[in-house]
Amino acid sequence: MNNPLAPSLWKVLQRLNASEEHMKFTLIYDGQLPAGKNKRSLYAAKIRNSIHPQLRDLWDNHVIMRQLRHEAIVNNHSFVDLATQGKPPSLPDFSGVPPTLREDQIDLCAPISLDGVGAFWPIVRKELYLACQIDILMMRHEDPGHLFDADGDIDNRLKCFFDALTLPNKEQAQAGENPCSDPLCVLLQDDKLISDFSVRTARLLGRTEKNQYDVRIQADVTIKVLRMFGPNQALMGSQG
């Protein structure tokens, strides 16, 4: 039986079913990450500030993120079958400031203000129907094993790191150092938007002065589109 769908629509549906078609990037943290609970908010704030420049760079310089900022305030979108045009399309680079909001519009990528603290700018957020997978390589000075003793408690270290990736509540923000930027870029609006994660550990080498709390974390992030609609379709098909 012949396929009743138009070729352009069929291509779109095939694209949506391709699980590998998501935005991917890597975040790096190089510093101290204690296992204790007492200063978790303090260290989370330090890590949040250290990761901010990487996420700001992503917002400002990755064409897909620039497109997301523009399309988050546009109401109408349509798919175009570019294959019939006979030449590569000239795609916009979405440079420049996103268009000014009209009174009947909202910006789904707008920073989120926290009273008395400042504004935070998450990428993965509920309004955009996004989630993310985080695959972590944590390098540390401990020998293999020692994952759950007082100094090497991976569980508490991960909780602190995930706190650092997430928009804090007011109490958490006030317990840590002040944000280094307004708005401060964070990965997640809520840690419930982490769909799954994995953790590997390795030996941290090459330092003459060793602190038991020193870590180097490589966090490979895959943004997942839970429900595609106009504002988030730019994230489909990007490999970073």
Side-chain angles (χ1 to χ4, degrees):
M1 183 174 66
N2 293 332
N3 182 2
L5 296 176
S8 58
L9 181 56
W10 181 249
K11 290 178 181 179
V12 170
L13 294 177
Q14 287 180 314
R15 183 184 176 200
L16 294 181
N17 287 326
S19 60
E20 73 275 6
E21 293 189 342
H22 297 292
M23 177 85 175
K24 296 183 178 182
F25 54 90
T26 298
L27 300 174
I28 301 294
Y29 171 65
D30 200 351
Q32 291 192 356
L33 183 59
K37 300 178 182 179
N38 294 336
K39 296 184 178 180
R40 182 184 298 172
S41 293
L42 175 63
Y43 277 93
K46 290 178 179 290
I47 298 169
R48 201 176 290 121
N49 281 339
S50 72
I51 291 177
H52 161 79
Q54 299 172 59
L55 293 172
R56 185 69 205 224
D57 185 14
L58 194 70
W59 275 117
D60 290 345
N61 297 309
H62 197 298
V63 64
I64 296 299
M65 299 306 296
R66 294 200 305 265
Q67 181 177 351
L68 179 67
R69 291 178 63 188
H70 281 71
E71 293 187 341
I73 57 177
V74 173
N75 295 324
N76 298 316
H77 299 271
S78 60
F79 294 107
V80 178
D81 189 3
L82 297 173
T84 63
Q85 297 182 4
K87 60 180 180 180
S90 178
L91 298 176
D93 63 5
F94 295 94
S95 58
V97 179
T100 303
L101 286 175
R102 301 193 308 262
E103 291 184 0
D104 61 338
Q105 291 179 318
I106 60 172
D107 183 359
L108 299 179
C109 281
I112 299 173
S113 295
L114 201 60
D115 290 342
V117 178
F120 294 84
W121 199 3
I123 294 174
V124 180
R125 57 176 82 196
K126 301 172 186 175
E127 294 83 358
L128 288 171
Y129 299 105
L130 301 178
C132 73
Q133 173 183 325
I134 305 177
D135 299 305
I136 292 175
L137 172 62
M138 181 185 294
M139 290 172 275
R140 58 205 176 99
H141 289 305
E142 289 94 339
D143 289 323
H146 301 282
L147 298 181
F148 301 105
D149 59 24
D151 294 326
D153 189 340
I154 295 296
D155 184 55
N156 280 321
R157 284 182 163 185
L158 284 176
K159 288 178 181 177
C160 182
F161 185 69
F162 288 150
D163 283 352
L165 297 179
T166 307
L167 189 155
N169 59 39
K170 188 173 182 179
E171 292 73 22
Q172 290 171 331
Q174 291 177 338
E177 64 182 33
N178 293 329
C180 65
S181 179
D182 190 6
L184 186 78
C185 297
V186 294
L187 177 63
L188 299 153
Q189 179 183 10
D190 190 314
D191 60 10
K192 294 183 178 63
L193 300 178
I194 300 175
S195 61
D196 50 287
F197 69 91
S198 66
V199 182
R200 294 182 297 127
T201 63
R203 186 69 181 250
L204 180 58
L205 302 173
R207 295 184 180 178
T208 55
E209 295 184 5
K210 292 180 171 57
N211 185 297
Q212 62 181 339
Y213 300 134
D214 284 347
V215 297
R216 178 174 297 151
I217 292 179
Q218 175 181 306
D220 296 325
V221 178
T222 302
I223 296 182
K224 297 185 176 183
V225 176
L226 301 179
R227 175 182 171 189
M228 199 194 83
F229 72 130
N232 68 24
Q233 67 178 347
L235 296 170
M236 300 296 293
S238 171
Q239 294 295 325

